[in-house]
Amino acid sequence: MPELPEIHAHAERLADDFGGQTLKTFRALSFTALKTFAPAPDDAFGTELTTVGRRGKYLLLEFPSVTFTVHLMQGGRLKPDEKQSAKPRGGLARWVFTEGPALLLTEAGTEKKAGVWVIPTGVEIGPGTDVDPFVGLGPDADAVTLADLRVLLRANSMRLHGFLRDQKLLAGLGRRLANEICHRAKLSPFANASKLTDEESAALHAAIGACLDESLAYERSRTDMSSSKERPGAVHHREGETCPVCGDTVRAVEYSRYTVNYCATCQTSGKILADNTTSKFLK
Ligand SMILES: [Zn+2]
């Protein structure tokens, strides 16, 4: 799944390519695509796309009166659409502009989870908001201060890897960055978040920033969104490869929906992690 850096660079590219274009129409191509009833998408017709922003893993296509909020989930893509065919493969929604290509939201696979929420432009969508789909979303991972991170950590007695992936705690991180951040911070993915020392939480905060910066720099160097295999990293999906920091072998703990990758020498004082608390078939 694209995470904060991929979505951020994607928003910048969309703003460059579509900013200032006048919206002619918006059409949901699937009945599951549009998640809100009001305000109406029509409120944006005849007005210009002001900018494209981001909150967590959501893209924000901002028009003067309404903002289209798009979540790509696992297989969603939002791309220029030159052909505007009547029934595009995996098509969920289309924005047609008065000039140039349209924008097409597609989703691969059968799990139709990607979607579009229309919200009033300028409404508060930060932590504590009551606007769907942002209700309960934590602060953006690239904006959280060390002090705020420490408050969150202390309040949540859970594994660090799960803490990092929980959008209610920090918005924008996923499985790949959780692996990379734990490795960068030299912390066990199974460490209890609430028990980190001040030194460890400072290392975690620095690692979040460094991993986000590196991924964003890579993503900005591209003309389209990377696939997960292309993204830079030290441990994610690199089981059996050599840790670039210490030369040990990257290890894995498998779950049905994701894999925890780590380096025992860098992160666990050599301890091999095994999950005795849950079956991988239940998680
Ligand atoms: Zn290592």
Side-chain angles (χ1 to χ4, degrees), residues 113-146:
K113 287 183 170 176
V116 180
W117 292 255
V118 181
I119 63 171
T121 292
V123 72
E124 177 55 49
I125 58 171
T129 183
D130 60 358
V131 176
D132 249 354
F134 303 106
V135 177
L137 200 63
D140 277 325
D142 63 341
V144 73
T145 64
L146 175 55

Side-chain angles (χ1 to χ4, degrees), residues 115-245:
V116 180
W117 292 255
V118 181
I119 63 171
T121 292
V123 72
E124 177 55 49
I125 58 171
T129 183
D130 60 358
V131 176
D132 249 354
F134 303 106
V135 177
L137 200 63
D140 277 325
D142 63 341
V144 73
T145 64
L146 175 55
D148 287 347
L149 180 64
R150 281 178 171 151
V151 171
L152 285 169
L153 287 164
R154 280 190 207 111
N156 289 280
S157 179
M158 61 193 292
R159 285 176 174 173
L160 184 55
H161 198 273
F163 174 94
L164 292 170
R165 285 184 290 111
D166 190 336
Q167 303 302 297
K168 296 191 287 300
L169 302 175
L170 284 180
L173 306 177
R175 303 160 199 174
R176 183 181 75 87
L177 283 168
N179 282 326
E180 296 298 335
I181 288 166
C182 289
H183 179 261
R184 181 70 61 104
K186 296 191 182 294
L187 292 170
S188 168
F190 285 7
N192 187 322
S194 68
K195 300 219 164 76
L196 295 191
T197 64
D198 280 356
E199 198 181 332
E200 288 170 335
S201 56
L204 181 69
H205 188 256
I208 292 171
C211 289
L212 287 172
D213 284 352
E214 267 183 26
S215 293
L216 182 58
Y218 169 74
E219 204 63 25
R220 278 176 170 158
S221 74
R222 303 177 53 99
T223 54
D224 60 350
M225 192 186 287
S226 61
S227 67
S228 60
K229 285 198 179 93
E230 297 171 315
R231 291 166 198 157
V235 292
H236 184 68
H237 282 179
R238 292 177 198 271
E239 184 183 5
E241 294 181 30
T242 303
C243 169
V245 174

Side-chain angles (χ1 to χ4, degrees), residues 183 186 235 242-250 262-267:
H183 179 261
K186 296 191 182 294
V235 292
T242 303
C243 169
V245 174
C246 74
D248 193 359
T249 302
V250 175
Y262 70 103
C263 168
T265 298
C266 287
Q267 295 174 257

